[in-house]
Amino acid sequence: HSALKAAICLTTALVAAGPAMAEFQDRTFRVSNGINEDHPVNTGMKAMQACLDDATGGKMKMQGFWGGALGGDLQATQAVRSGLQEAVVTSSSPLVGMVPALGVFDLPFLFRTPEEAYAVMDGPFGDTLNEKLDEVGLINLGYWENGFRNMSNSQRPIKTWEDFEGMKVRVMQNNIFLDTFSNFGANATPMSFGEVFSALETKAIDAQENPYVTIDTSKFYEVQSYLSETKHAYTPFLFLFSKAIFNTYSPEEQQALRDCTIVGRDVERAAIQDLNQESLKKMEEAGLEFNTIDPAAQEEMLQKSQVVYEKHKDEIGADVVDQVQATLAEMRGN
Ligand code: TF8
């Protein structure tokens, strides 16, 4: 009679779920990633999928593509924008051509802690940027984490900004990063992420900058000798959905997507925080020489970078820069 009991339970569940489930259709959507499958974004996507299974009775399925298999950040985002592809997890930095206000995240040394970044992104300021993304056909379902960016290179430890002199540094396709590193005396070269490994390997470039977990999972450390903890920027991942496709979904489907992206975000952020030091340790064990930057040298880098703030403020939007700085000042109790 346990089979009968199970059948009764199942029937009750189906009846209970019946009206809601009618709002969900079978949908499979593609999520493009530049990073590899062993990055915590995948951990977050698994949690997001479990949440979607619950919320939609298993009707909504995500299919992750990794290592730029569907194109680099910019290319994949264009495809999402034009409705050819459903979703992309991308850095904000290559998208400043579409939404200049996103450049705020590229300003050197803006955030000091992940908690500051979370509070700004998940609050009203993040919503302001989401509205601007919406205007160009992109629904930002949530700010996931890439993280604080640090330097790797094949030449020497970076301890002060002067150590950048003449170094060939790959930067993202973003003028704020380009100017930040040029201003330090580096030979900054914009390049898409997919080209970085081989450019480092062939010594076409000496250096790149990314969070530890990305340097680890994308294997850049295999062709680098030095790691320097500059924490010169915190850049987020945006979980972008095609507005053209999103608009064809029912309100219930849209809500499930929004809610579950936030569930995934929290799991992903926690996974990165867990993995950060582990990735660093692994890379040191692989033979990379590691150094931190002393606070005075860090402060000097920040001061030296003020010209970058001045130069880019208008193009980001003076109101946007003022808003984030006011929010941070308030949080810091200044
Ligand atoms: C970069 C970004 C990348 C990501 C990802 C690979 O350096 O930091 O980590 O945007 O798509 O290009």
Side-chain angles (χ1 to χ4, degrees), residues 47-272:
M48 181 173 168
Q49 182 63 64
C51 173
L52 285 173
D53 286 345
D54 274 359
T56 71
K59 297 230 169 185
M60 207 179 262
K61 295 282 178 212
M62 291 195 285
Q63 201 182 355
F65 290 84
W66 305 96
L70 297 182
D73 283 350
L74 191 53
Q75 205 188 333
T77 304
Q78 292 291 12
V80 166
R81 203 179 159 184
S82 53
L84 293 172
Q85 193 176 293
E86 293 85 0
V88 61
V89 177
T90 175
S91 285
S92 52
S93 314
L95 312 187
V96 292
M98 299 174 201
V99 178
L102 287 175
V104 74
F105 294 121
D106 306 314
L107 291 170
F109 307 100
L110 182 72
F111 297 123
R112 292 180 192 159
T113 63
E115 289 70 30
E116 279 190 355
Y118 301 159
V120 165
M121 296 183 299
D122 304 341
F125 184 79
D127 293 339
T128 305
L129 295 181
N130 290 345
E131 281 158 28
K132 295 181 193 290
L133 283 157
D134 187 285
E135 282 164 22
V136 301
L138 297 164
I139 309 282
N140 182 21
L141 294 173
Y143 293 89
W144 287 33
E145 179 148 287
N146 193 0
F148 275 104
R149 308 179 74 89
N150 296 310
M151 297 302 307
S152 75
N153 80 87
S154 57
Q155 304 284 309
R156 55 184 172 266
I158 304 282
K159 293 180 171 161
T160 70
W161 66 263
E162 283 104 331
D163 292 323
F164 283 106
E165 182 63 43
M167 195 177 275
K168 280 182 274 172
V169 180
R170 174 267 175 172
V171 292
M172 291 183 284
Q173 292 147 305
N174 174 290
N175 283 334
I176 303 175
F177 273 90
L178 183 68
D179 285 343
T180 298
F181 288 95
S182 303
N183 182 49
F184 288 157
N187 182 351
T189 312
M191 191 183 285
S192 76
F193 187 82
E195 294 173 81
V196 176
F197 184 91
S198 71
L200 290 171
E201 191 179 32
T202 60
K203 301 255 158 54
I205 51 169
D206 307 312
Q208 68 81 44
E209 43 80 50
N210 256 296
Y212 292 140
V213 177
T214 300
I215 302 176
D216 171 9
T217 58
S218 291
K219 308 265 178 268
F220 297 157
Y221 72 94
E222 289 180 357
V223 287
Q224 296 279 266
S225 307
Y226 300 93
L227 276 175
S228 304
E229 189 160 280
T230 47
K231 290 177 72 175
H232 53 274
Y234 175 102
T235 54
F237 279 141
L238 310 179
F239 201 116
L240 299 176
F241 210 90
S242 169
K243 187 177 177 181
I245 299 172
F246 195 76
N247 284 345
T248 67
Y249 285 14
S250 72
E252 291 78 7
E253 289 171 325
Q254 292 179 354
Q255 197 56 48
L257 263 177
R258 288 190 186 281
D259 294 345
C260 293
T261 307
I262 300 306
V263 169
R265 174 198 74 191
D266 291 344
V267 169
E268 192 254 359
R269 284 179 183 171
I272 293 201

